[in-house]
Amino acid sequence: MKTLEEFNAFLDQQLSNELLAMEQKRISGRNWMRWMWAACLIPFAIFIYFMVRFSTQQAPEATNSGFGNQAFLIVGIVLLFTLGSYGVRYFMMKRKGVDDAVDFQHDFKTRIVKPIIGFINPSYTYQPLNYASYEEFTESGLFAKKNYRISGNDQVYGKTGEMNFQFCDLQVMHMPLVTVRGQGPDTVFSGSYFIGQFPRYFSTPVYILSRNSAMESLFSNTAADNGFIQTWDLGKKVLPADAAFNKLFMVYAPDPNEAQQLLTQRLMEKIIRLQERSTARLFISFYNNRVYIGIGHGMDYFETTLNRSLQDRQMLKNFYLDFMSLLQLAEDLQDNSSIWTSRAFSRS
């Protein structure tokens, strides 16, 4: 696999001009949006001025003529406001920068993201609008099956060794049946979601969850806290020999001995490094012939905005490091022959 140094060299040598062009496009689009907001406020301010002035004037005598003049004035003000709004819109749509504002997100994915995926591996497929389905989220056995609302994007398909994989940005929400006024949906998961599928099956399901810190336990609203992860139904608690790993993660499995064989020292070190680098909660499931890994960092890597400069490449580097770490972690499983079987298991 290519190193971070090779990735940085690729950005400098192959994408430097594209990133500069996209940055200029972003600035142009941002400036257009600012002018658009300013221009829209002008007719609105005029409308408010005339309405306030009209309302503070002395009321005319209650005659048919007086009421008629009032109605005529109000209709005139509304008509002028409407025509002014259309005029501003027409004027702004003719200004330079409108195309940059409208097309920036699409162009960024075409000109920047797609070449990055090609650099990692030309055989990988990038689909900007696709993401993991409800079934692909719940079949991990880790999250309880509930009425989730799932959205996402930027899915990458591919194969490395014997493993087929998919990787995407994913957000999973759930609206409680009983809510208080102003309460929104619960966030079940938000971040990067990886699925690796193997030609063989794990000997037993194994689930790994990041532990909460003391402060997080007091103020958290996490999946485990809200019953979306029913830890009592995941099996017995497992304590691997690595004390550092146990401080960061909780492990559950129906068969602790089989889980110990899966959690080699090398695999645990990779999981620790992934959490330390991402500074996010991890949700990991080894279930049947798939490994599911969720990094709950709450970010959508490639949904850039006009207010976010592209001169800072850290977003691209973070995506690359997450992606490569997940591939390496999943690939390491293939060499551990003791964890595999030819039969699938059922959770029931």
Side-chain angles (χ1 to χ4, degrees):
M1 292 185 179
K2 298 182 176 72
T3 64
L4 179 60
E5 289 73 20
E6 291 176 300
F7 179 68
N8 288 332
F10 168 75
L11 294 180
D12 292 334
Q13 298 170 12
Q14 303 295 325
L15 287 185
S16 180
N17 291 336
E18 290 290 347
L19 284 168
L20 179 60
M22 288 301 302
E23 176 65 8
Q24 294 172 345
K25 188 181 185 76
R26 181 193 70 82
I27 294 173
S28 175
R30 181 199 62 188
N31 292 340
W32 181 86
M33 287 296 297
R34 289 177 177 177
W35 277 108
M36 183 69 172
W37 278 106
C40 288
L41 289 176
I42 293 175
F44 180 73
I46 295 174
F47 175 75
I48 295 298
Y49 170 76
F50 279 108
M51 290 300 296
V52 170
R53 184 175 180 181
F54 172 77
S55 64
T56 56
Q57 288 179 344
Q58 184 176 359
E61 296 181 359
T63 63
N64 292 335
S65 176
F67 285 122
N69 291 335
Q70 288 185 15
F72 179 78
L73 183 58
I74 292 174
V75 171
I77 292 175
V78 173
L79 181 61
L80 285 175
F81 174 72
T82 304
L83 292 175
S85 299
Y86 275 107
V88 167
R89 183 179 182 276
Y90 177 81
F91 171 74
M92 290 305 301
M93 294 304 291
K94 296 295 183 180
R95 283 184 58 88
K96 181 181 178 181
V98 58
D99 291 336
D100 294 334
V102 173
D103 299 334
F104 175 74
Q105 184 65 59
H106 175 268
D107 288 350
F108 176 77
K109 294 190 177 185
T110 302
R111 298 170 63 176
I112 304 300
V113 180
K114 193 171 182 180
I116 287 176
I117 302 303
F119 163 78
I120 296 174
N121 193 314
S123 67
Y124 293 169
T125 301
Y126 172 59
Q127 298 179 328
L129 301 180
N130 284 6
Y131 53 92
S133 65
Y134 173 89
E135 290 75 17
E136 289 168 330
F137 179 73
T138 56
E139 68 188 3
S140 67
L142 183 58
F143 293 89
K145 291 187 176 181
K146 297 190 177 185
N147 187 26
Y148 300 130
R149 186 177 68 201
I150 296 182
S151 60
N153 50 32
D154 295 325
Q155 184 150 264
V156 181
Y157 283 103
K159 183 175 183 178
T160 176
E162 296 181 323
M163 179 186 67
N164 293 298
F165 73 86
Q166 61 191 86
F167 176 67
C168 66
D169 290 324
L170 196 69
Q171 186 176 62
V172 182
M173 312 295 288
H174 180 268
M175 179 60 74
L177 294 177
V178 180
T179 62
V180 296
R181 180 176 295 181
Q183 180 182 359
D186 293 319
T187 299
V188 182
F189 175 80
S190 178
S192 298
Y193 194 67
F194 176 91
I195 304 175
Q197 180 174 320
F198 301 93
R200 294 165 293 173
Y201 297 87
F202 293 110
S203 300
T204 188
V206 178
Y207 308 98
I208 302 175
L209 295 170
S210 296
R211 291 182 182 273
N212 285 350
S213 67
M215 292 301 294
E216 288 174 333
S217 298
L218 288 174
F219 302 105
S220 64
N221 190 29
T222 61
D225 301 324
N226 288 323
F228 302 117
I229 299 178
Q230 299 171 347
T231 55
W232 62 86
D233 198 31
L234 300 180
K236 302 175 183 178
K237 285 188 177 181
V238 181
L239 290 176
D242 191 322
F245 186 87
N246 290 330
K247 289 181 180 180
L248 295 173
F249 300 99
M250 298 176 293
V251 182
Y252 300 89
D255 189 331
N257 292 329
E258 294 285 352
Q260 296 280 10
Q261 294 186 38
L262 184 146
L263 293 172
T264 63
Q265 188 64 37
R266 182 177 177 180
L267 180 63
M268 288 189 290
E269 289 174 356
K270 286 185 179 295
I271 295 175
I272 290 174
R273 287 200 297 269
L274 176 60
Q275 176 163 294
E276 289 177 343
R277 190 192 54 74
S278 64
T279 63
R281 297 196 73 196
L282 300 185
F283 304 84
I284 304 177
S285 168
F286 304 90
Y287 192 82
N288 274 329
N289 64 334
R290 293 184 176 184
V291 55
Y292 303 82
I293 306 174
I295 307 176
H297 47 55
M299 293 184 293
D300 194 342
Y301 277 127
F302 298 139
E303 297 308 300
T304 57
T305 69
L306 294 173
N307 295 319
R308 183 176 183 178
S309 175
L310 297 180
Q311 292 180 343
D312 183 3
R313 302 179 182 179
Q314 193 59 48
M315 173 191 66
L316 302 178
K317 294 177 183 178
N318 287 342
F319 166 80
Y320 181 79
L321 290 172
D322 277 356
F323 189 25
M324 301 306 287
S325 296
L326 293 172
L327 288 179
Q328 292 172 355
L329 190 154
E331 281 189 338
D332 283 349
L333 297 169
Q334 300 183 70
D335 300 326
N336 188 354
S337 59
S338 63
I339 65 175
W340 299 106
T341 180
S342 58
R343 295 179 300 173
F345 51 77
S346 173
R347 193 179 182 187
S348 59

